């Protein structure tokens, strides 16, 4: 018996097959092999074609099935993780009406800010725990205002994972956790936020049917099963946004636990049992996957859009792919802590929530042409990413989420010793790396949603620590001195 997990990111769609009994991943694959295209028809816009998500999911599914030599009938449930805050709109025939407006698109910021002011900050934060900001609700408002012909045809809006599941099952459904990620959820009323729908003029019928996070949410249609290389009738039993799912994949389910990821964007995600919020909405609170009315669980999320994308930009554009990421890490170690005065603001991938939705762009400061070289630039970039994350962590601490131990998958920026050492030494936190990723987490979530696993202990039997990084307190002063200089540059930018 196996569970199949999909992780729909902005770079690729990954699939992972997990053995139900051992909890171990037996096969994984991702497509495309180069990053998926993010279209930017105007400055601040970021769009993707949902059809490409589906095509890559089918390729990844067939690849893992072939790799593991597993029969379609042996896959008993499917779980889906997906890039958060995106918008997909379809008509009554399930035709996609426009490209998806994805998470790093900045166009909707004015619409969210206007709603925040018009509805009142206290009221909005009390009910939504967030400003509408740049979330899915504001993106739908942008479509309504700027593409009225498209809006008039909309039968349902969906999050990216809702769309992928609907392609599989023919059923358009979502979750309360997903709606909270889109700023559609009223935490006080425990239902979609009618006052926000009224303000934007959204018909509540546009909201998909709401299903539990862990539960049967539809079954593969014959046509979808054929494209995926699976059996018709296989149930989809779990879905969650990528960051709540990343926390699930690391068994981060209880208050005080912290998960992190650093792919294209970087996120620190902490669990709380209190519905707390940042008055400036620089960090955001959502319903966690483990939330129940009896045992409330909230995910407090801090996101920096420009993390791994900065590292890849340096490699692809500056270094012209002449060296590998591991060689970049080696090169960075030739520069000292603080990169000999060179500082980097890593922002450059859309509006940053921790900066109150400002879009500063990425920049280097203090560049001396006679002293600085590639080692300094690479080190300054990785340190700048950590400094941005630490800036957000300090905001999280102000709303009651402390950081003492950070769990992360051994992937992306966490493969860089310099990155993870800088993070440990600056924060003073122990970092634990695990043998997991979002697709594995989605597969285990599918097992929980099917009821095969009775609890998290059973579901995460195959999870183990691969590396532990303890902070070197002797280096903390040097990192914090550099951070203070970085912070001064940020405040004047």
């Amino acid at each position: 018996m196996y569970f199949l997990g999909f992780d729909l990111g902005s770079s690729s769609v990954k699939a992972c097959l997990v053995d139900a009994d051992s909890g171990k991943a037996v096969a994984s694959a991702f497509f495309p092999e180069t990053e998926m295209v993010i279209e930017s028809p105007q400055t601040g816009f970021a769009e993707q074609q949902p059809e490409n998500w589906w095509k890559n999911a089918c390729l990844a599914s067939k690849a893992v099935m072939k790799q593991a030599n597993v029969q379609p009938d042996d896959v008993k449930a499917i779980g889906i993780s997906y890039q958060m805050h995106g918008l997909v709109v379809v008509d009554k025939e399930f035709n996609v009406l426009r490209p998806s407006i994805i998470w790093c698109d900045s166009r909707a910021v004015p619409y969210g800010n206007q709603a925040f002011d018009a509805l009142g900050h206290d009221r909005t934060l009390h009910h939504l725990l967030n400003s509408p900001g740049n979330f899915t609700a504001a993106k739908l408002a942008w479509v309504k205002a700027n593409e009225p012909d498209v809006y008039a045809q909309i039968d349902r809006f969906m999050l990216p994972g809702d769309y992928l599941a609907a392609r599989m099952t023919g059923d358009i459904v979502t979750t309360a956790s997903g709606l909270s990620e889109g700023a559609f959820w009223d935490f006080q009323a425990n239902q979609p936020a009618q006052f926000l729908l009224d303000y934007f003029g959204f018909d509540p019928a546009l909201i998909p049917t709401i299903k539990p996070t862990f539960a049967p949410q539809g079954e593969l249609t014959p046509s979808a099963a054929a494209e995926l290389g699976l059996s018709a009738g296989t149930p989809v039993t779990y879905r969650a946004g990528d960051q709540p799912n990343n926390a699930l994949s690391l068994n981060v389910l209880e208050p005080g636990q912290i998960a992190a990821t650093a792919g294209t964007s970087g996120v620190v995600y902490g669990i709380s049992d209190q519905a707390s919020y940042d008055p400036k909405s620089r960090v955001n609170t959502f319903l966690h996957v483990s939330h129940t009315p009896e045992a409330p669980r909230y995910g407090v999320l801090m996101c920096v859009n420009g993390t791994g994308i900065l590292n890849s930009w340096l490699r692809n554009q500056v270094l012209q792919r002449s060296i590998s990421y591991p060689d970049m890490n080696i090169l960075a170690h030739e520069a000292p802590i603080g990169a000999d005065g060179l500082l980097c603001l890593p922002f450059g991938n859309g509006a940053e929530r921790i900066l109150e939705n400002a879009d500063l762009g990425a920049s280097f400061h203090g560049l001396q042409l006679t002293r600085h070289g590639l080692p300094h630039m690479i080190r300054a970039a990785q340190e700048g990413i950590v400094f941005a994350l630490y800036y957000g962590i300090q905001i999280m601490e102000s709303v009651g989420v402390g950081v003492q131990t950070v769990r992360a998958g051994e992937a992306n920026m966490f493969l860089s010793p310099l990155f993870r050492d800088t993070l440990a030494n600056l924060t003073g936190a122990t970092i634990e790396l695990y043998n997991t990723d979002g697709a594995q987490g989605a597969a285990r979530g599918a097992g929980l949603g099917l009821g095969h696993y009775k609890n998290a202990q059973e579901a995460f039997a195959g999870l183990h620590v691969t590396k532990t990084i303890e902070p070197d307190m002797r280096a903390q002063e040097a990192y914090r001195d550099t951070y203070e200089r970085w912070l001064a540059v940020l405040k004047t930018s």
Side-chain angles (χ1 to χ4, degrees), residues 47-51 87-101 140 142-144 147-158 163 206:
E47 301 180 342
Q48 288 187 320
Q49 299 292 341
E51 182 65 25
L87 173 70
V88 180
V89 290
V90 297
D91 64 16
K92 291 181 179 179
E93 282 72 47
F94 196 64
N95 297 307
V96 175
L97 295 170
R98 66 168 333 281
S100 173
I101 303 176
L140 185 58
W142 183 93
V143 174
K144 185 172 185 282
E147 298 176 347
D149 292 343
V150 170
Y151 184 83
Q153 300 175 66
I154 297 174
D155 181 62
R156 295 285 192 279
F157 74 82
M158 289 177 279
Y163 171 81
L206 297 179

Side-chain angles (χ1 to χ4, degrees), residues 211-234:
K211 295 276 190 175
T213 296
F214 300 97
Q217 300 168 358
E219 297 179 348
L220 291 189
T221 64
S223 60
E227 291 186 75
L228 291 162
L230 300 171
S231 292
T234 305

Side-chain angles (χ1 to χ4, degrees), residues 5-27:
F6 290 93
D7 186 11
L8 165 56
S10 47
S11 299
S12 65
V13 181
K14 186 171 186 177
C16 181
L17 203 59
V18 169
D19 182 275
D21 295 327
S22 69
K24 293 182 179 179
V26 297

Side-chain angles (χ1 to χ4, degrees), residues 327-347:
D327 286 340
M328 285 176 64
N329 296 332
I330 293 170
L331 199 60
H333 272 101
E334 295 180 10
I337 294 173
D340 197 13
L342 183 62
L343 301 169
C344 176
L345 298 184
F347 317 110

Side-chain angles (χ1 to χ4, degrees), residues 120-195:
H121 292 198
D122 288 344
R123 180 189 183 193
T124 305
L125 290 170
H126 184 64
H127 286 270
L128 302 181
L129 302 185
N130 304 288
S131 160
N134 194 33
F135 296 122
T136 311
K139 291 169 181 171
L140 185 58
W142 183 93
V143 174
K144 185 172 185 282
N146 293 274
E147 298 176 347
D149 292 343
V150 170
Y151 184 83
Q153 300 175 66
I154 297 174
D155 181 62
R156 295 285 192 279
F157 74 82
M158 289 177 279
L159 299 163
D162 299 335
Y163 171 81
L164 188 60
R167 284 296 297 263
M168 293 179 180
T169 66
D171 297 322
I172 300 178
V173 305
T174 192
T175 65
S177 177
L179 291 176
S180 78
E181 297 161 19
F184 281 104
W185 193 254
D186 188 328
F187 287 78
Q188 300 302 316
N190 196 36
Q191 65 181 27
Q194 188 62 50
F195 75 99

Side-chain angles (χ1 to χ4, degrees), residues 241-256:
D242 52 9
Q243 298 311 322
N245 177 75
N246 181 60
L248 172 80
S249 71
L250 295 161
N251 197 17
V252 171
L253 300 170
E254 299 301 328

Side-chain angles (χ1 to χ4, degrees), residues 30-60:
F30 66 89
F31 285 89
E33 295 181 358
T34 56
E35 293 185 357
M36 278 193 293
V37 173
I38 298 178
E39 299 164 353
S40 185
Q42 295 184 39
T43 300
F45 284 27
E47 301 180 342
Q48 288 187 320
Q49 299 292 341
E51 182 65 25
N52 290 336
W53 301 339
W54 175 246
K55 289 178 179 177
N56 287 309
C58 292
L59 290 169

